[in-house]
Amino acid sequence: MTDQPSRDEELAQSAAAAARFKEGMPPAREVTTTGELAAVLAALPADTPLFLGEHVIARPDLAYGPDTVPTVVAFVIPSADPTDHDNGDRIHRMMPALNLTTVYVTRGQDAGEELGQHPLLPVESLARAEHRLPNGDLDDGIRDAADSVHQIAGLLGEGAEFIPDDHDAHTAIHVEITRLEAASERLRKIAPIAQKARA
C-alpha cells in the first residue's frame, strides 16, 4: 500500500510546481495596437482567465518628463485553478492567466522588457505605501504615505475654492489643510528614524 502524501507535502509540491510553471511562462510583451493584443490572445486557450492590473506601475527611479509615456503590457501569470479541490480545501494547482497592466516608460523603451528586468511599483503614492509598509520598507513607505497626505491637503484646497472665503466651512477646511501639511512634514522626518528602529 502506497503512503499518501501529507497535506503539507501536497502544498510543498504545489508550490514547487507553481515555481516551475512561472519559469516556463512567456515574457511580458508590450501591446500598442488591437492587432498585437489579438496575437497574444490567439496564443492562449479561449478559457484563459483575464486580469487587469489594479495600478499603473513604473520603475521607482523613473524621471518623468515630456518623453514619459504610458503603454500596456500583456503578461502571463500563474493563477490558482478554481476546479482544484481536496476535501473542500483548495490545492493551488496553477493555470495560466493573462494580465494587462499599464506601465510608464521613457519613449523608445520596451515596456515588456522593463517589466521583465526591473522591479516596478505603483505610480500612485498611496498604492506604493500599501505595497511597501506591509513588507517592512518603512523609510520609503512612510514617505509615500506623507506624499499621499500632502496630495489630500492639495485636493481639499481645490475644493475649498468653491466655498466663500468668509464662510465657516472655508476656514475649517484650511485649518485641516494646515494640520495635514504639518503631519506630512512630520512623517518625512520620522521615516528614516523608523527604518533604523525596525527590528
Side-chain angles (χ1 to χ4, degrees):
M1 180 175 173
T2 304
D3 291 336
Q4 293 295 320
S6 69
R7 174 72 174 168
D8 288 343
E9 289 172 337
E10 287 180 335
L11 290 174
Q13 292 170 4
S14 178
R20 291 193 299 273
F21 181 94
K22 190 171 183 179
E23 288 177 1
M25 288 189 295
R29 177 176 172 183
E30 179 177 308
V31 290
T32 57
T33 66
T34 55
E36 290 174 348
L37 178 59
V40 171
L41 297 176
L44 297 170
D47 60 350
T48 301
L50 176 64
F51 297 95
L52 297 178
E54 186 176 357
H55 303 291
V56 178
I57 59 177
R59 289 179 65 171
D61 59 352
L62 179 65
Y64 290 89
D67 288 332
T68 305
V69 294
T71 188
V72 175
V73 175
F75 56 101
V76 178
I77 59 174
S79 175
D81 184 345
T83 65
D84 183 20
H85 291 77
D86 179 23
N87 296 326
D89 295 325
R90 185 165 295 171
I91 303 290
H92 292 293
R93 185 172 63 204
M94 307 310 288
M95 62 183 295
L98 182 66
N99 187 296
L100 300 176
T101 294
T102 301
V103 180
Y104 267 105
V105 293
T106 301
R107 194 183 308 277
Q109 286 183 315
D110 185 301
E113 291 182 3
E114 281 288 288
L115 185 62
Q117 297 176 3
H118 303 284
L120 307 185
L121 290 175
V123 171
E124 200 273 319
S125 58
L126 182 58
R128 285 199 309 272
E130 290 174 348
H131 173 83
R132 285 169 161 164
L133 290 173
N135 290 313
D137 185 356
L138 301 184
D139 193 352
D140 289 332
I142 292 172
R143 292 177 195 275
D144 289 332
D147 288 343
S148 299
V149 172
H150 174 74
Q151 291 170 13
I152 291 170
L155 289 172
L156 288 172
E158 292 180 14
E161 293 180 2
F162 295 94
I163 305 172
D165 292 353
D166 58 353
H167 196 282
D168 288 347
H170 186 277
T171 302
I173 287 176
H174 276 277
V175 168
E176 298 306 324
I177 289 173
T178 300
R179 290 173 175 167
L180 287 170
E181 291 287 10
S184 177
E185 288 305 313
R186 288 195 300 271
L187 285 170
R188 293 181 199 283
K189 293 176 182 178
I190 291 169
I193 300 170
Q195 187 67 46
K196 289 179 181 178
R198 180 177 180 268

